[in-house]
Each structure stands twice: as structure tokens, then as C-alpha cells.
Amino acid sequence: MRKLCFLLLEFITATPMLPNFDIWNDNNNRVAHPEMNISRLPKVLNFFPVPVEEECLSNDQRRKGICMNAYECKIEGGTSHGPCALGFGVCCVFTATCNEEIHNNITYFVNPHFPDLSKDMESCSLTVKKIDPEISQFRLDFIHFNLGQPNRKTGVCEDDIFVLNGGRRQLKLCGLNSGQHAYFDVENMDSVATIEMKLSKKAVTRLWEVRVTQIPFTQRAPVGCLQYHTGTTGTLKTMNFAENGRHLADQDYNICIRQEQDMCSIVYEPCHENAFRISPNNDDNVTEDVGSGETPEPRADECSDKVVLPCDSEDLLMPQDVGPGFCTLVHCGESLCPAGETPCRIESSITPFMIGVHFGPNAREAPADDNLGMCLNYEQMPCNV
Ligand SMILES: *[C@@H]1O[C@H](CO)[C@@H](O)[C@H](O)[C@H]1NC(C)=O
Ligand SMILES: *[C@@H]1O[C@H](CO)[C@@H](O)[C@H](O)[C@H]1NC(C)=O
Ligand SMILES: *[C@@H]1O[C@H](CO)[C@@H](O)[C@H](O)[C@H]1NC(C)=O
């Protein structure tokens, strides 16, 4: 009863504000009307003391769930993990495994034996249904993602392949990607996406736990961003950046970083001294003239696999100018910094903050050590320095 009164009160206090509610200004609702808790308004109207379907934490704090009443949780196929909404609801956690379907927000897709490893599997598929036609993106959080490695020489996923289909583009992965995430555009998709996993017969043990969140239009990541990092500091890695890993072939995406309040530029630094290894395309007809006697660094136009970092003096840029102080858009080889200087640190105030990752479809054969990929720490810098 307490909850009911509480909800009614909310309804009464919120109603007078409705005329101010600018429905066309999707992005700014939260900012412009912080006092209005839009997400709970529609639920109030049925006058039942049901908890609002909001995110909650499971009682072991390990997973996110949706706060709903115990009965509803059971009907939807979830499991209760402790109370929420002052005890009026349960934190309902959804999981799905091979050959099942996701039809709830915040659902964990796990290997069949999770939390143990799965062995001897050949395939696994999953259907992901939009819970609402207005869903704009799926966000996949790879909490655990441990599949077979790509071809060591080419980076092509051959033995184990994880493919997400149904959106505008396909997402294809293999190897080790725990801690990574990806946004998948489903705006023009009818209603279902599918995950297909092909798993080789080679005796590989696998483990995965992928949280799938359904993102409405108002909360989507910017167009063209496979990854969207928030926070003033963080770490960016190419897929399968791992010990004994190598970067994947056939990758073409942007890593975006949200510009935080009062921040004007961003600094990138390799995570450690081996954290940038993207082999240049050393075809025979390039790099004839090496003026300085220094070890020739790859010229920007030599990179077949590359990372693109917007830099401040872009207008003045000449592709062959390489050296400290010069700004280079395209990066490959053994160092993020054009002349290999250490410590290597690149600052950019070009917004939006973004790094392009472009690895060719048929990567040239090259030792894995030369193709570890990239791990960068970033830090946003305040405007008034
Ligand atoms: C909305 O309401 C929930 C509780 O129902 C609360 O936890 C949350 O902070 C509120 N959000 C805003 C923006 O007021
Ligand atoms: C799904 O859950 C996320 C995380 O709590 C939330 O931001 C999003 O709005 C939810 N999606 C829908 C359609 O309710
Ligand atoms: C030589 O370089 C040019 C321009 O960089 C390129 O178009 C061409 O394919 C290269 N030729 C060979 C044989 O690699």
C-alpha cells in the first residue's frame, strides 16, 4: 500500500508538468527536466502497486536484472535474484543459451555449461528479438568471450566464428574479447537479429557471457560507432588484443569516446611498450628514399592495415612528412607515434573523439607478433589548461 500511495503521489506531482514536455526534443529530456521521471509515468496509470521496470543488481551484485513482480518474472522466464523496489519486486535476471531466443531487455547469453567451459561443440545460434519496434541498437557487452583464435598468420576467423546478423552490417568476431563491447544498429531491421556461432571440431574449450541490452533511440550511441566509451579516462583495445592474440582481419569500424563535460581534448598513450603492433604493408615499390638515416617508419600510404586518429594540424599534413611534431592521420607499424618517440603521447582536440580501425579483409600473412593490434589508454583534458 505504501508503494501505491507513493506512485499516486508521483503521478499527481508530475501531471502539472506535462504541458512543458517537449516530445520532439528527445535528446534533452533528461537534462531539461531532471525533475520529471519520464520512464515511470506510463506505468503509474494502471494504479497497481507494481514496481517500475528498472534496472537492478542481482543479490550477488554480479549481474544486472530488471525489477518486476515475482510472478511476471517467472512468466517471462527469468529468475529472481533478490528484492528490489522496497521489496515490492524481485530483481529478475534473464539468461539464454544456444538455440534459444532473447525477448527481454538485459539478457545474458552464455555457453551451455556456463560458468564452466563448454567443450566439443560445433555450433550454437541465438535469436534476438526487439522488445519494441522503436529499439534502435543492441549493445553487446562481452563480459566473457573466449573462443578459438583466428588464423595466426592472416587474422581471419576460420575455426571459431561468432557472427551477428540482421542489422545494416554484420559483426564477426573470434578469439579473446572479454571486456569489449559493441553497438549493433537495428533501426531498419524488422524484428530479429541472429547470432550464429560456428565452432571447430578442434578440441577448444570455450566460455562466453554476453549481455544484450536493447537501446531505444534516445539512448543510442552515435551513428557509425561500433564502440562508445564514456568517462574521462579509459582503455581502448582492438578486438582480440590479448597475449598470444593478434588483430582480426576484415575490421572496419570506429571507436568513439563521449566528450565529457568541460573537456576539450583527448590524449592517447599506448598501454605498454608492445601495445601497438600493426604490421605495415611492405610491398616492394615503396620506401625508396629514406633521408634521415633513421629506421624507416612506414609512410601513411603504405599502411594496408591501419588506425586513423584525427589530429589537430590536419590541414598542414603532408603524407610523407614524418617525425616528431608532425601530425599523422594514419598509423601502422610498431609505434603509434610517427617517429617511434617514447614516451608516445598523442593529443587531439578534434571532436567528436574517435579512432578509426581499418584492417583489410584478406590480411597479408605476417607473424602474429607484428600484429598484436592496439591498446591505448585515453585521458580527456579540461578546456582551461
Ligand atoms: C527515477 O525513479 C527511480 C525510482 O523509481 C530513481 O531511482 C531514479 O533515480 C529516478 N530518476 C530520475 C532521473 O529522477
Ligand atoms: C534496457 O535497459 C537499459 C539499461 O537499464 C535501459 O537504458 C534501456 O532503456 C532499456 N531499454 C528499454 C527498451 O527499456
Ligand atoms: C606501388 O605503389 C602504388 C602506390 O602506392 C600502388 O598503387 C601499387 O599497387 C604498388 N605496386 C606494387 C607492385 O605493390
Side-chain angles (χ1 to χ4, degrees), residues 40 42 63 68 70 86 89 98 145 177 205 209 245 278 282 294 307 313 372:
R40 63 173 109 133
R63 283 183 170 170
M68 44 172 69
L86 306 166
C98 301
F145 189 98
N177 291 298
T205 50
E209 180 183 23
I278 297 166
N282 45 8
E294 293 288 308
V307 162
S313 47
L372 218 50

Side-chain angles (χ1 to χ4, degrees), residues 130-136 186-191 214:
K130 283 195 199 181
I131 58 167
D132 182 311
E134 301 303 311
I135 296 302
S136 175
V186 293
E187 223 148 90
N188 301 316
M189 186 186 87
D190 286 343
S191 69
Q214 309 224 356

Side-chain angles (χ1 to χ4, degrees), residues 55-66:
E55 187 183 306
C56 51
L57 266 185
S58 63
N59 41 12
D60 65 0
Q61 317 281 302
R62 227 188 63 75
R63 283 183 170 170
K64 290 180 181 182
I66 300 171

